mmCIF file of all heavy atoms in Angstrom:
data_model
loop_
_atom_site.group_PDB
_atom_site.id
_atom_site.type_symbol
_atom_site.label_atom_id
_atom_site.label_comp_id
_atom_site.label_asym_id
_atom_site.label_seq_id
_atom_site.Cartn_x
_atom_site.Cartn_y
_atom_site.Cartn_z
ATOM 1 N N THR A 90 -6.353 64.782 69.395
ATOM 2 C CA THR A 90 -6.233 64.023 70.636
ATOM 3 C C THR A 90 -4.913 64.276 71.352
ATOM 4 O O THR A 90 -4.877 64.414 72.575
ATOM 5 C CB THR A 90 -6.423 62.518 70.361
ATOM 6 O OG1 THR A 90 -7.673 62.333 69.697
ATOM 7 C CG2 THR A 90 -6.413 61.706 71.636
ATOM 8 N N ALA A 91 -3.807 64.366 70.620
ATOM 9 C CA ALA A 91 -2.504 64.605 71.253
ATOM 10 C C ALA A 91 -2.474 65.965 71.943
ATOM 11 O O ALA A 91 -1.898 66.112 73.023
ATOM 12 C CB ALA A 91 -1.383 64.507 70.228
ATOM 13 N N ILE A 92 -3.096 66.961 71.342
ATOM 14 C CA ILE A 92 -3.135 68.293 71.952
ATOM 15 C C ILE A 92 -4.017 68.277 73.198
ATOM 16 O O ILE A 92 -3.704 68.909 74.205
ATOM 17 C CB ILE A 92 -3.619 69.336 70.928
ATOM 18 C CG1 ILE A 92 -2.588 69.453 69.798
ATOM 19 C CG2 ILE A 92 -3.853 70.691 71.583
ATOM 20 C CD1 ILE A 92 -3.025 70.291 68.626
ATOM 21 N N ALA A 93 -5.108 67.529 73.168
ATOM 22 C CA ALA A 93 -6.028 67.449 74.308
ATOM 23 C C ALA A 93 -5.487 66.566 75.434
ATOM 24 O O ALA A 93 -6.050 66.552 76.522
ATOM 25 C CB ALA A 93 -7.377 66.910 73.847
ATOM 26 N N SER A 94 -4.405 65.848 75.183
ATOM 27 C CA SER A 94 -3.942 64.857 76.167
ATOM 28 C C SER A 94 -3.168 65.453 77.337
ATOM 29 O O SER A 94 -2.887 64.748 78.304
ATOM 30 C CB SER A 94 -3.095 63.783 75.482
ATOM 31 O OG SER A 94 -1.865 64.336 75.064
ATOM 32 N N ARG A 95 -2.806 66.726 77.297
ATOM 33 C CA ARG A 95 -2.033 67.351 78.372
ATOM 34 C C ARG A 95 -2.726 68.613 78.864
ATOM 35 O O ARG A 95 -3.251 69.390 78.068
ATOM 36 C CB ARG A 95 -0.642 67.738 77.859
ATOM 37 C CG ARG A 95 0.214 66.597 77.368
ATOM 38 C CD ARG A 95 0.745 65.714 78.485
ATOM 39 N NE ARG A 95 1.525 66.409 79.465
ATOM 40 C CZ ARG A 95 2.828 66.656 79.365
ATOM 41 N NH1 ARG A 95 3.497 66.277 78.314
ATOM 42 N NH2 ARG A 95 3.454 67.290 80.332
ATOM 43 N N ALA A 96 -2.696 68.851 80.157
ATOM 44 C CA ALA A 96 -3.285 70.065 80.714
ATOM 45 C C ALA A 96 -2.625 71.314 80.143
ATOM 46 O O ALA A 96 -3.269 72.337 79.942
ATOM 47 C CB ALA A 96 -3.173 70.051 82.238
ATOM 48 N N ALA A 97 -1.322 71.229 79.830
ATOM 49 C CA ALA A 97 -0.579 72.393 79.321
ATOM 50 C C ALA A 97 -1.004 72.796 77.919
ATOM 51 O O ALA A 97 -0.772 73.929 77.509
ATOM 52 C CB ALA A 97 0.920 72.111 79.343
ATOM 53 N N THR A 98 -1.634 71.884 77.159
ATOM 54 C CA THR A 98 -1.986 72.211 75.772
ATOM 55 C C THR A 98 -3.476 72.097 75.466
ATOM 56 O O THR A 98 -3.872 72.351 74.337
ATOM 57 C CB THR A 98 -1.225 71.300 74.782
ATOM 58 O OG1 THR A 98 -1.522 69.933 75.070
ATOM 59 C CG2 THR A 98 0.263 71.547 74.850
ATOM 60 N N ARG A 99 -4.295 71.738 76.430
ATOM 61 C CA ARG A 99 -5.707 71.526 76.117
ATOM 62 C C ARG A 99 -6.460 72.808 75.808
ATOM 63 O O ARG A 99 -7.483 72.787 75.155
ATOM 64 C CB ARG A 99 -6.396 70.754 77.231
ATOM 65 C CG ARG A 99 -6.546 71.538 78.528
ATOM 66 C CD ARG A 99 -7.232 70.699 79.579
ATOM 67 N NE ARG A 99 -8.633 70.561 79.293
ATOM 68 C CZ ARG A 99 -9.593 71.185 79.961
ATOM 69 N NH1 ARG A 99 -9.298 71.989 80.946
ATOM 70 N NH2 ARG A 99 -10.848 71.004 79.644
ATOM 71 N N ASN A 100 -5.962 73.971 76.258
ATOM 72 C CA ASN A 100 -6.539 75.259 75.868
ATOM 73 C C ASN A 100 -5.822 75.704 74.604
ATOM 74 O O ASN A 100 -4.644 76.063 74.643
ATOM 75 C CB ASN A 100 -6.390 76.291 76.984
ATOM 76 C CG ASN A 100 -7.222 75.912 78.193
ATOM 77 O OD1 ASN A 100 -8.368 75.501 78.055
ATOM 78 N ND2 ASN A 100 -6.644 76.030 79.369
ATOM 79 N N VAL A 101 -6.520 75.692 73.475
ATOM 80 C CA VAL A 101 -5.874 75.900 72.178
ATOM 81 C C VAL A 101 -6.613 76.959 71.363
ATOM 82 O O VAL A 101 -7.832 77.053 71.422
ATOM 83 C CB VAL A 101 -5.782 74.560 71.406
ATOM 84 C CG1 VAL A 101 -7.156 74.008 71.084
ATOM 85 C CG2 VAL A 101 -4.962 74.694 70.149
ATOM 86 N N GLN A 102 -5.817 77.753 70.641
ATOM 87 C CA GLN A 102 -6.382 78.694 69.671
ATOM 88 C C GLN A 102 -5.971 78.223 68.286
ATOM 89 O O GLN A 102 -4.801 77.949 68.033
ATOM 90 C CB GLN A 102 -5.859 80.108 69.898
ATOM 91 C CG GLN A 102 -6.470 81.100 68.923
ATOM 92 C CD GLN A 102 -6.012 82.513 69.162
ATOM 93 O OE1 GLN A 102 -4.847 82.768 69.395
ATOM 94 N NE2 GLN A 102 -6.957 83.439 69.114
ATOM 95 N N LEU A 103 -6.940 78.110 67.396
ATOM 96 C CA LEU A 103 -6.678 77.666 66.024
ATOM 97 C C LEU A 103 -6.676 78.880 65.103
ATOM 98 O O LEU A 103 -7.559 79.739 65.187
ATOM 99 C CB LEU A 103 -7.744 76.677 65.582
ATOM 100 C CG LEU A 103 -7.820 75.405 66.426
ATOM 101 C CD1 LEU A 103 -9.033 74.584 66.027
ATOM 102 C CD2 LEU A 103 -6.553 74.594 66.287
#
Side-chain angles (χ1 to χ4, degrees):
T90 305
I92 295 172
S94 70
R95 299 288 302 274
T98 58
R99 69 180 287 254
N100 293 317
V101 63
Q102 182 178 43
L103 299 172

